[in-house]
Amino acid sequence: MGYILDESSMQKVLDALKKDYIIYAPKRKEGEGMYSDTDCIRYEVVDKVAEIEFFEKSNYSFKEVLLPISQTLYYFTEDEVKEAEPERKKGAVIFLRSCDLHGVKRLDQMYLQNGFVDYYYKRLREAVKFVVIGCGKSYDNCFCVSMGTNVPEDFDLALYPGEGGYHLESRWDEITSIVGQLEEKEIRIPFVEENDVKVKIPNNLSIDIIKSSMWEEYNSRCINCGRCNFVCPTCTCFSMQDIFYTDNGKAGERRRVHASCMVDGYTEVAGGGSYRRKNGERMRFKVLHKVYDYKKRNGYHMCVGCGRCDDVCPEYISFSNCINKLEDAMKEVSNNG
Ligand code: SF4
Ligand code: SF4
C-alpha cells in the first residue's frame, strides 16, 4: 500500500523534510554535458520537486554527497591543527535509484566496516535518509539485473511519478504522518526486471585470469583519462594534498580528493617505481577489483551494474563487454596451462 500525491502535496512533503534535511537529487544542467549542446545530470541541492530529474539516468552518482570530490580535513599552521567543519550540519535526504542504493552498501563497507571507521565519511553518512526512485525502464548500458541490484533493499521512501501523480511508499514514520491523511492506495513502484545488456561472470574466475592476452587490447584503446572511476558509485579511492597558502607558506590545509586507478601516478612509489604502467594492467586491476577480489572478501560484487562507466568512456570501452570476455579468457589461460 502507499499513496498517490499531486504536485503540491509532494512539494509539502519536500518542504517538511527541508526543515531538518538538505535534499539532494539528480538535476538537469542544461548545456553542461560532455559534448556541445548536451545536458548533464548530476547531484545538487534541490528546493522544488519539479527540479528533480526522474526519467533519465544521472551521469554522475550520489557519491559526492557522502564523499566530496575535494574535502578539507583540517587546517594547519606551524603550531596548530584545527579540524575542518563538516560540509553540512543538517541531515541529508538523497533521491537515488536502486543500483545506487546498493552502491551505498559498498561505500559503507569500504569506509565503515573495513577494519576501521573513517571519521569524515561517518559524519556525513549519519542522519542520511534515502528515497529510492523507481525505474520505469532500463536505460542504455544498465546491467543491474545481472548484478542483482535492480530491486532496492533498505529505503525510507520509494517514489515514482506514475499515473495520477507521485506514487509514494513510506517506511518513514515522519512522512507517513504527513501523507497519512490521504487515502491509502494500491501502488507498485516499478523496478526493471530485464536489461538489454547482460553480463556473465564465470564461476571459475580465478587469479590466473591475469595471464590472459585480453588485457593487451586496452594498452592502446584506453587513454587513462579516469572518467570511468569518477562516475562510478562504488569507486572509493582518494589521494591527499597539502595546500600551502600563498600569503603564509607555513599555513595551509590538508584535503583529500578523488583519485583514479586508471590515471598516471596512481601506483607511483618512492624511487620512481610504478606497479601498473600499462593501461591494460590498470584495466585488469579495475575489472578484477569490481567483479573478483571484492567479492572474495565481502561475499558480493562491488560493481552494481549502473553502466555509467560505459556511458562516459570517450574511447567507447564497454565494461560490460569486458566482463563478458572473462569466460573466454579463462579458457585461454586454462588451455595454456
Ligand atoms: S564499474 Fe561501471 S557499471 Fe559497475 S558500478 Fe562502477 S560505473 Fe557502474
Ligand atoms: S573512461 Fe575509458 S578511456 Fe578513460 S580511463 Fe576509463 S576505460 Fe580508459
Side-chain angles (χ1 to χ4, degrees):
M1 294 295 271
Y3 307 91
I4 298 181
L5 283 72
D6 61 19
E7 179 102 14
S8 81
S9 306
M10 191 61 226
Q11 186 60 45
K12 274 186 198 147
V13 170
L14 212 66
D15 290 339
L17 290 174
K18 276 159 48 183
K19 289 182 190 131
D20 296 315
Y21 300 91
I22 300 175
I23 316 291
Y24 296 92
K27 205 167 158 181
R28 179 176 294 276
K29 314 281 292 169
E30 278 182 28
E32 294 184 24
M34 212 160 61
Y35 305 106
S36 61
D37 299 330
T38 59
D39 301 341
C40 177
I41 300 164
R42 66 184 308 164
Y43 274 73
E44 283 202 349
V45 175
V46 295
D47 279 325
K48 304 270 180 234
V49 180
E51 291 174 83
I52 302 173
E53 177 55 69
F54 284 103
F55 296 109
E56 276 189 48
K57 183 185 355 176
S58 64
N59 302 93
Y60 292 82
S61 79
F62 69 94
K63 182 169 76 174
E64 292 157 39
V65 180
L66 300 176
L67 288 174
I69 295 172
S70 172
Q71 183 174 36
T72 299
L73 305 184
Y74 56 81
Y75 300 90
F76 58 83
T77 63
E78 276 178 284
D79 311 313
E80 269 186 303
V81 171
K82 183 175 174 289
E83 183 184 317
E85 293 288 324
E87 283 72 9
R88 60 180 153 75
K89 293 190 175 145
K90 279 169 131 183
V93 171
I94 305 177
F95 284 65
L96 75 187
R97 295 182 185 279
S98 175
C99 58
D100 279 350
L101 191 54
H102 284 266
V104 176
K105 179 175 167 180
R106 276 82 176 151
L107 297 189
D108 287 351
Q109 176 62 41
M110 296 297 277
Y111 279 95
L112 300 177
Q113 291 139 19
N114 196 21
F116 68 97
V117 171
D118 183 281
Y119 172 80
Y120 293 95
Y121 178 80
K122 183 166 175 274
R123 70 181 191 177
L124 283 182
R125 176 70 175 85
E126 278 166 355
V128 173
K129 300 280 189 180
F130 296 104
V131 182
V132 70
I133 302 173
C135 290
K137 63 169 191 171
S138 175
Y139 296 93
D140 287 348
N141 296 322
C142 293
F143 53 98
C144 53
V145 177
S146 299
M147 300 313 293
T149 60
N150 52 316
V151 178
E153 288 171 353
D154 298 321
F155 57 83
D156 298 290
L157 299 173
L159 186 66
Y160 187 72
E163 210 182 317
Y166 292 90
H167 293 213
L168 179 79
E169 181 185 336
S170 175
R171 297 180 181 175
W172 186 357
D173 291 346
E174 205 176 326
I175 300 308
T176 309
S177 68
I178 298 173
V179 294
Q181 303 131 12
L182 300 170
E183 187 192 343
E184 276 198 69
K185 294 263 172 69
E186 194 77 52
I187 59 155
R188 194 185 66 84
I189 305 290
F191 296 105
V192 294
E193 287 165 11
E194 193 169 4
N195 306 121
D196 289 342
V197 178
K198 297 172 178 57
V199 299
K200 186 163 175 253
I201 302 164
N203 291 331
N204 65 343
L205 186 60
S206 79
I207 199 63
D208 290 341
I209 196 87
I210 64 173
K211 296 182 218 149
S212 167
S213 59
M214 74 170 268
W215 310 110
E216 287 163 21
E217 163 188 348
Y218 303 103
N219 286 338
S220 53
R221 283 188 70 196
C222 171
I223 56 168
N224 55 51
C225 65
R227 287 183 190 187
C228 48
N229 296 118
F230 295 122
V231 298
C232 177
T234 68
C235 278
T236 51
C237 290
F238 59 80
S239 64
M240 290 292 190
Q241 293 178 354
D242 285 341
I243 311 293
F244 293 90
Y245 300 144
T246 44
D247 51 353
N248 177 359
K250 290 179 177 166
E253 59 193 74
R254 171 161 287 195
R255 295 180 190 165
R256 70 175 174 190
V257 296
H258 285 194
S260 158
C261 56
M262 300 301 288
V263 304
D264 290 342
Y266 181 83
T267 61
E268 269 171 23
V269 290
S274 176
Y275 291 108
R276 293 184 290 277
R277 288 188 199 276
K278 293 181 180 170
N279 296 342
E281 293 169 340
R282 297 173 190 181
M283 181 62 96
R284 183 193 71 205
F285 171 81
K286 183 182 75 175
V287 171
L288 295 187
H289 189 35
K290 297 289 180 195
V291 300
Y292 176 64
D293 64 73
Y294 179 94
K295 185 178 180 192
K296 278 183 87 175
R297 277 184 278 144
N298 302 308
Y300 54 91
H301 287 301
M302 188 179 198
C303 173
V304 294
C306 70
R308 288 189 181 96
C309 50
D310 288 20
D311 300 337
V312 82
C313 179
E315 298 300 307
Y316 303 104
I317 291 171
S318 162
F319 187 71
S320 52
N321 274 347
C322 199
I323 296 177
N324 284 332
K325 286 177 186 170
L326 295 174
E327 190 159 341
D328 282 345
M330 276 310 294
K331 284 184 194 148
E332 176 203 338
V333 294
S334 310
N335 291 341
N336 292 343

